[in-house]
Amino acid sequence: MSILQEIYTWSQDLAVWQQDAIARLYTERELGAIDLEDLYALAKSEAGIPDPQGRTPKRLEDAQVAAPADPSRLVQLVAVKDLSNVNALANGGLLPIAPAGLTVIYGENGAGKSGYSRVLKHACRARDRREPILPDAKLDPKQVGTPSATFEAMIDGVAMDLAWTYGLPSPEPLSEIAIFDTHCARAYIDNQGDFAYRPYGLDILEGLVAVCNKLKTRATEEKTANAPSNAIYTALANEQTRVGKALLGIPKTTKPEEIEALATLSDAENERLDLLTKTLAEPDPKQKAQALRQKANRLLELNGRIATSVALIDDAKMSELRALIEKSKSARAAAELAAVEFKQTPGQLAGTGGDEWKALFEAARTFATLSHAGHEFPWLPPESACPLCQNPLGAEGAERLAHFEAFIKQAAESAAKKARSEAEAAYKAIQQASLDLMVGQALLDELKEIDPLLAAACSMLQEALTTRQKAALSASAGKLEWEEIQKLSEDPQPTLGALAAGLQEQAKALDATADEKAKAAMVSERQELDARRRLGEVKVAVLEAMSKHELCRKLQACIDGMDTRGISRKSTELSRTMASQELADALNEELKRLKVHELSVAMKTESPGGKTQYKLTLQLPGGGAPSAILSEGEQRAIAIASFMAELRLGKGRGGIVIDDPVSSLDHRRRWEVAERLAMESQFRQVLVFTHDIYFLCILEQKAEAAGAPLAKNYIRRTAQGFGVHSQDFPFDVATTKDRIAKLRQILVDVRRAHKDGDDDTHRRLTAFCYGRLRLTWERCIEEVLLNGAVQRFGEGISTQRIRSVVVNDDDYREIDAGMSKSSKFEHDAAMVVGRLPVPDPDELSQDIERLEAFRAATDKRLKQVAAARA
């Protein structure tokens, strides 16, 4: 299992914020301020401190980590194809890769190499995936999809396509491909000052330790800044009360809810506290109790008078009076309707049946009880005298009295009489009601002393009662609308009753003070209530202190969770596991191949706690500190050496991908790196991306020297987009034969311009072609005439190639003629301005073919000479 796999497995038991940190460190060498801010918020959230931004942790996924190398499986890339939405790379593009040997992908800066490199890093689960894969920035984001590609691969000789989509787990077999990335620098200064070797992946644990230390410092500072103070409630805490006990329980046992409950007094409890305070402060309780009872009685008596007066003229009485008057009016109207018919009886005097007549008839009834004793009015004997005129009644008079009685006794008249009687009774009740509350000046002053608002309410009620009484009488007489009668002012009865009850309770309490046991209970009760009231005054400060206690407790949990000893132990364990003599030998061999300042790796013994352990340190022969001597390029060479050493010890057979390996390398070390890659390509697939044409030439030479297969691919920008593959390499890196083929292609354009009569284009293309022809003669001298024994960018002279070389006078004359003519028509200003005749296409063609004939003849001679000298 690799170190990255070990760390991934081990991290599953860590705090989730630390798992998030590992996920970040997996892709980022150093974490920035935003990362630290996020991790600190996550650490606090895990300890119970809410994160206002609601951040959620991200864990390192199994699909992100390359699986352990499988020595029994061979995974080879054949092509990357069907690209879609990858940067500005042409959709549907294909990049062929040789399944064995060395494949070099060359392209100028901005040609699209980075796009392919990013796809390989993400698909093959490299750690360095910091650069996101984005669609073409020139396209509408709504119209582009998710980046994807297909990897054409051979797995143990079986061809298959592996589909990859950005953001989804990549195909597991691709993790067999190793990516050299920016995390491969593995030298560092350890605690003992040694320039130690750091196995690939341990930087994650070191980064986690650094993160923990930074966050621990921050948490400690925040805890110090939020240290709670109990100074404001120290006095309360020292009292022998429930409040004191609760305060002493902060922060271990007391909860904020308990403080809230203790600090909140109900109205009854506040009144009780005031009562106890006054009672216990009274010097003569007995006399005071008597005075309080007398005052309470006066209030109760006033309350009774108010109740009586209000009851006489309240809304119910008003409604009743109004209803009775309305009823009386309705009954009277009905009676009058009946009287109309009675009045129309023939022979009756005017006014008969009216109110005056009814009064006269009732007077006769009353008089008859005296004048006609023994007879029931109006059924008097005909021979008797009339009670009114005292003339003999006669039969007709007796009959008329009976008729009058019938009218009086009928229902309408009876109802009208009864309604009127009831209305008069209700009216008189209000008219004669005694509404004097008897609030004299002495009582009013006493009320003002107790409660000025209450005194004003009693005065206002007295005025309102009188006004309301007058308004009711006016409304009854029809002089005022009933709705205009004002409501009674605020009723002081509840307040008076409560005050009287309070005074009685206070008197009772004063009586109780005579009992020492009861008084002691009252003192204790007052202390408890007083402590609660004072707690209410400092409640906010107490709750804030409790909140700070809780925050500090959680911050301490954060601080405890940021202890780095467990991480350091794991790092040491993994480092010791990797610090083997086999690895030291492999590193030394790789360093020697890359000629890194004669730097060597040595096993150094340590004995912590009496247990012998080892670590790998980088040493210089002179004993100097490597950190002070090694250049940036040398440290990159160390990274490449470490990558190759661990790759070899990993036993895997998968290929490697190296993006721009010569960045920061000096001129000399490029040859060593090229030689090492060519050597490695004999055992595994090697894919190199480079924009350095010089390094490409070096790779060609080293591959040829090692006998390693070399495939060159050229990617460039076309109308289709970036990263378009082409077998047609730039002129500068083409062979003599390929250059001649390119010259023939240019000749086609020259002929077309000449035929179209486009003199300017014909002249320009002809000059350009002769310039390329001159370069081709130079390339032919290096490659063909001298058989590659001496080459530009060459490491030295290949003396073995000289055995095929013969240079005679004819060679000199042919080369001189070709170079001279090419230079003449490329550089002569006279041709540019038109004073020098421009060779026609046929002449140019003859000059190209003359070079081809020289190349073919010389190549044939090389083989013959080599055979003769063998």
Side-chain angles (χ1 to χ4, degrees), residues 50-85:
D51 176 19
Q53 298 184 26
R55 283 164 278 210
T56 56
K58 298 179 181 178
R59 295 176 173 85
L60 187 63
E61 299 296 335
D62 181 59
Q64 291 180 261
V65 183
D70 184 357
S72 65
R73 180 173 62 174
L74 176 60
V75 178
Q76 298 167 292
L77 296 180
V78 177
V80 182
K81 62 183 182 180
D82 301 332
L83 280 95
S84 177
N85 302 307

Side-chain angles (χ1 to χ4, degrees), residues 70-300:
D70 184 357
S72 65
R73 180 173 62 174
L74 176 60
V75 178
Q76 298 167 292
L77 296 180
V78 177
V80 182
K81 62 183 182 180
D82 301 332
L83 280 95
S84 177
N85 302 307
V86 175
N87 300 148
L89 296 183
N91 283 338
L94 179 138
L95 180 66
I97 303 170
L102 178 62
T103 300
V104 182
I105 310 297
Y106 169 77
E108 290 87 357
N109 284 328
K113 298 188 307 302
S114 297
Y116 282 107
S117 177
R118 292 187 188 112
V119 169
L120 284 162
K121 286 179 179 180
H122 282 267
C124 299
R125 306 186 184 184
R127 281 184 59 194
D128 186 13
R129 283 177 268 177
R130 288 171 293 178
E131 294 180 296
I133 299 177
L134 303 174
D136 190 345
K138 297 178 182 178
L139 300 178
D140 185 349
K142 298 179 180 179
Q143 297 178 354
V144 297
T146 304
S148 62
T150 299
F151 287 84
E152 189 176 330
M154 297 280 290
I155 300 179
D156 293 332
V158 179
M160 63 176 59
D161 285 349
L162 303 174
W164 167 83
T165 301
Y166 184 54
L168 297 179
S170 61
E172 184 274 332
L174 292 179
S175 66
E176 291 283 347
I177 308 300
I179 309 291
F180 176 80
D181 58 39
T182 55
H183 285 278
C184 294
R186 298 173 171 81
Y188 71 105
I189 304 296
D190 70 4
N191 302 357
Q192 288 74 40
D194 292 324
F195 201 64
Y197 165 77
R198 176 173 59 200
Y200 185 52
L202 280 186
D203 59 293
I204 293 178
L205 297 184
E206 293 172 9
L208 183 58
V209 168
V211 168
C212 287
N213 287 333
K214 290 178 182 178
L215 298 188
K216 185 175 183 178
T217 299
R218 183 168 176 179
T220 302
E221 291 173 351
E222 185 174 354
K223 181 184 175 185
T224 301
N226 286 280
S229 171
N230 63 351
I232 198 167
Y233 60 84
T234 300
L236 271 174
N238 292 329
E239 295 179 2
Q240 299 299 315
T241 60
R242 285 178 58 201
V243 169
K245 184 178 180 180
L247 292 175
L248 289 176
I250 297 174
K252 294 182 178 180
T253 57
T254 303
K255 304 298 181 185
E257 296 79 12
E258 185 177 353
I259 296 298
E260 286 280 5
L262 286 173
T264 305
L265 272 70
S266 65
D267 292 341
E269 287 173 326
N270 276 310
E271 292 172 1
R272 178 65 176 168
L273 175 58
D274 293 340
L275 172 62
L276 291 172
T277 301
K278 293 177 182 178
T279 300
L280 294 172
E282 186 58 48
D284 189 350
K286 186 175 181 180
Q287 183 179 356
K288 182 66 175 179
Q290 183 177 0
L292 291 175
R293 285 194 182 90
Q294 292 173 350
K295 183 182 292 187
N297 289 336
R298 288 192 291 275
L299 295 181
L300 289 174

Side-chain angles (χ1 to χ4, degrees), residues 3 55 153 223 309 399 418 487 509 517 534 566 631 647 841:
I3 285 183
R55 283 164 278 210
K223 181 184 175 185
S309 297
E399 184 181 350
K418 180 181 180 183
K487 298 288 184 181
K517 185 176 180 180
R534 287 186 288 144
S631 67
L647 188 69

